[in-house]
Amino acid sequence: MTQLQHRWQHELAQLPQDQALAVVRKEVTAIDHQLIRLLQQRFEAVKAIGAIKAQQAQPVRDFQREDAVLADVVGQLSDPALAAHFQAIFTTIMQESRRVQTSQREEGVK
Ligand SMILES: O=C(O)C(=O)C[C@]1(C(=O)O)C=C[C@@H](O)C=C1
């Protein structure tokens, strides 16, 4: 556990449990909003890649790149115990990215 997590636990322990739950849920919601902003940015970048690959008549899926993305994600983790969870999350993100690129192609968006 990090020092920050220790401090959190200590401060939360001062509160009645229902209040502690509300505090942590507020934190989760704030983090979700950051993730949503960042994921929207990622999808915009993925659409830009999709347009380039469509122009060059390249397939949507790039297995080598997906392997590299997953390896990089795992390398970024401070807690290696979360590796399998992050692999699952990013596998889904890339699957949805491919879906966006596929509909982009079907709609003929450049
Ligand atoms: O890098 C690409 O070529 C992308 O289209 C982006 C991305 C991703 O979401 O990271 C999506 C689909 C590809 O299979 C590989 C990676």
Side-chain angles (χ1 to χ4, degrees):
M1 202 181 274
T2 65
Q3 239 180 336
L4 192 70
Q5 282 170 320
H6 271 300
R7 252 193 59 199
W8 254 105
Q9 298 286 351
H10 180 74
E11 281 171 28
L12 289 172
Q14 316 298 312
L15 297 171
Q17 282 204 333
D18 59 337
Q19 275 183 40
L21 186 65
V23 166
V24 191
R25 281 188 173 158
K26 213 173 146 188
E27 174 72 8
V28 166
T29 299
I31 293 166
D32 287 347
H33 292 176
Q34 290 182 49
L35 285 172
I36 290 162
R37 256 197 309 281
L38 289 172
L39 282 169
Q40 286 185 128
Q41 285 177 24
R42 192 184 197 282
F43 275 113
E44 288 311 311
V46 159
K47 281 196 245 174
I49 293 172
I52 294 165
K53 292 200 297 193
Q55 272 173 2
Q56 298 184 346
Q58 285 180 32
V60 164
R61 191 161 197 181
D62 183 332
F63 289 94
Q64 224 182 328
R65 174 63 186 162
E66 291 193 13
D67 286 347
V69 170
L70 292 178
D72 179 64
V73 165
V74 171
Q76 291 290 311
L77 297 176
S78 38
D79 181 358
L82 293 174
H85 302 292
F86 273 83
Q87 279 177 326
I89 289 166
F90 277 82
T91 296
T92 300
I93 289 174
M94 289 192 286
Q95 185 183 326
E96 294 310 312
S97 298
R98 292 197 308 273
R99 275 158 52 95
V100 166
Q101 290 181 347
T102 301
S103 31
Q104 187 181 22
R105 257 173 221 228
E106 284 163 3
E107 288 159 17
V109 181
K110 287 277 145 65

